[in-house]
Amino acid sequence: MKTLKIAIQKSGRLNEKSVEILKNCGLSFENYKSSLISTVTNFPLEILFLRDDDIPEYVQDGIADLGIVGENVIVETGANVSYLQKLGFGKCSLKIAVKNDSDIDTVAKLDGKVIATSYPVILEKYLKANQVNAQIRNISGSVEIGPGLGLSDAIFDIVSTGGTLKNNGLKPFTSVMNSEAVLVSTPGLEFNTEVVEIVQRIQSVLRARTTKYVVLNVAKENLKAVVDLLPGVKSPTVVPLFEEDWVAVHSVIDEQDFWVKINSLKAAGAQGIVVMPIEKIIT
Ligand code: ATP
Ligand code: MG
């Protein structure tokens, strides 16, 4: 069996969550800050710790078989990789921002202006699509100080909370792309048995993260009303209680409308509701 290689960020915003998701998949490996490569002891897999900018091309060229990286970096490098799974972390948007007092409030008004960015490829595509002729100034970091220094009229950068923009007297006026961390593979490797196994494990961890295990007690006369509120994975488990007219119901519920569901369960007669985290859901 060929040992696969997965590239993840060595340090930075995606490192911790990338390590966490792999560990939650039951993969055992040492995570020394100093090492650039780590061997998984219970799966034919090696982990390469790299700068995120290098990951798309390593995966494209097959130096790594898999990678975890922000979609924005993949688009920026233009690498040809296969998207296997969105991972739900590292979420951010790439936005164009201007000084608070700027009169630039439409893309068209960027015509003839200077825009500072570390993402020239994504920006250029966007400007072209909008038929705007602006000068792109490629800066490797701290682009948000550009307008204040008179270096640029606008910036194009990653925004998650917007705090950095605010602190620099900037306001975003248009969002160009949304991004999150994704699992990618070398094209053609999507159907490799071990790759499929890793994707399935990751999906079961992701499913479990958005659901909770719920146990509650209900009088038999209210059972139907409570069960109707619980979709469960298939149908809920109903267990008899010592008190004859009562049963315990076990089910899985989605975190999304969690409190709405809990309140309607209570209203339908549910009591002693216990909510537990789920580690994995294998379907
Ligand atoms: P490296 O040293 O690996 O090159 P980096 O400094 O280029 O790291 P980070 O700042 O660690 O990159 O960000 C990694 C990724 O995290 C980004 O490419 C983006 O997809 C995502 N991300 C999420 N929120 C933010 C944010 N607020 N600022 C920057 N990146 C963010
Ligand atoms: Mg980088």
Side-chain angles (χ1 to χ4, degrees):
M1 210 187 299
K2 182 189 170 239
T3 298
L4 294 175
K5 292 189 179 70
I6 183 166
I8 66 172
Q9 194 187 24
K10 180 168 168 52
S11 61
R13 286 188 161 87
L14 302 183
N15 166 268
E16 207 173 296
K17 293 243 166 81
S18 304
V19 167
E20 183 188 293
I21 202 161
L22 295 178
K23 294 225 159 170
N24 286 342
C25 284
L27 301 171
S28 299
F29 58 93
E30 302 284 356
N31 180 27
Y32 297 124
K33 279 273 165 263
S34 57
S35 64
L36 298 176
I37 187 159
S38 182
T39 304
V40 173
T41 54
N42 57 355
F43 198 85
L45 184 70
E46 278 174 344
I47 301 172
L48 310 181
F49 297 92
L50 301 172
R51 287 285 306 270
D52 71 345
D53 315 64
D54 298 331
I55 294 176
E57 278 169 23
Y58 271 53
V59 173
Q60 167 189 275
D61 298 344
I63 295 160
D65 307 286
L66 294 163
I68 293 179
V69 67
E71 287 172 285
N72 56 306
V73 182
I74 299 172
V75 177
E76 185 61 32
T77 53
N80 175 25
V81 295
S82 296
Y83 283 68
L84 303 185
Q85 180 65 47
K86 290 193 182 224
L87 298 174
F89 61 87
K91 287 191 177 173
C92 55
S93 304
L94 282 91
K95 296 185 177 175
I96 298 176
V98 291
K99 277 211 242 178
N100 285 330
D101 59 4
S102 168
D103 57 5
I104 302 173
D105 54 5
T106 62
V107 182
K109 286 190 189 162
L110 287 168
D111 215 78
K113 305 288 188 202
V114 180
I115 312 172
T117 188
S118 315
Y119 296 93
V121 175
I122 297 173
L123 178 60
E124 194 177 345
K125 261 193 215 155
Y126 178 79
L127 294 175
K128 230 182 201 161
N130 285 281
Q131 297 170 334
V132 170
N133 226 330
Q135 188 196 329
I136 298 174
R137 189 164 260 189
N138 193 359
I139 295 177
S140 62
S142 307
V143 296
E144 60 279 1
I145 62 167
L149 295 176
L151 202 76
S152 68
D153 303 296
I155 65 158
F156 173 60
D157 203 7
I158 292 184
V159 179
S160 49
T161 60
T164 311
L165 290 184
K166 218 175 211 173
N167 291 342
N168 287 282
L170 301 172
K171 57 175 183 193
F173 77 91
T174 185
S175 185
V176 173
M177 90 171 269
N178 292 320
S179 175
E180 67 182 88
V182 287
L183 176 73
V184 292
S185 79
T186 310
L189 265 191
E190 309 77 319
F191 306 110
N192 168 290
T193 314
E194 282 74 38
V195 169
V196 171
E197 167 81 24
I198 289 173
V199 173
Q200 281 172 353
R201 288 193 193 190
I202 286 180
Q203 286 171 344
S204 77
V205 171
L206 294 174
R207 262 198 300 274
R209 277 185 189 168
T210 57
T211 44
K212 297 274 181 245
Y213 194 82
V214 176
V215 179
L216 56 87
N217 295 333
V218 63
K220 277 183 182 164
E221 59 188 17
N222 295 325
L223 179 59
K224 170 95 175 55
V226 162
V227 166
D228 282 348
L229 294 166
L230 293 168
V233 172
K234 221 169 193 173
S235 86
T237 309
V238 179
V239 191
L241 288 186
F242 183 70
E243 202 170 321
E244 266 185 15
D245 298 335
W246 283 71
V247 288
V249 177
H250 293 227
S251 186
V252 167
I253 70 174
D254 227 40
E255 203 163 13
Q256 220 177 17
D257 42 2
F258 180 77
W259 286 109
V260 178
K261 284 246 175 68
I262 292 293
N263 288 331
S264 39
L265 284 169
K266 268 163 75 181
Q271 291 184 11
I273 305 174
V274 176
V275 180
M276 288 166 275
I278 298 175
E279 199 180 281
K280 292 180 186 70
I281 297 182
I282 294 117
T283 54

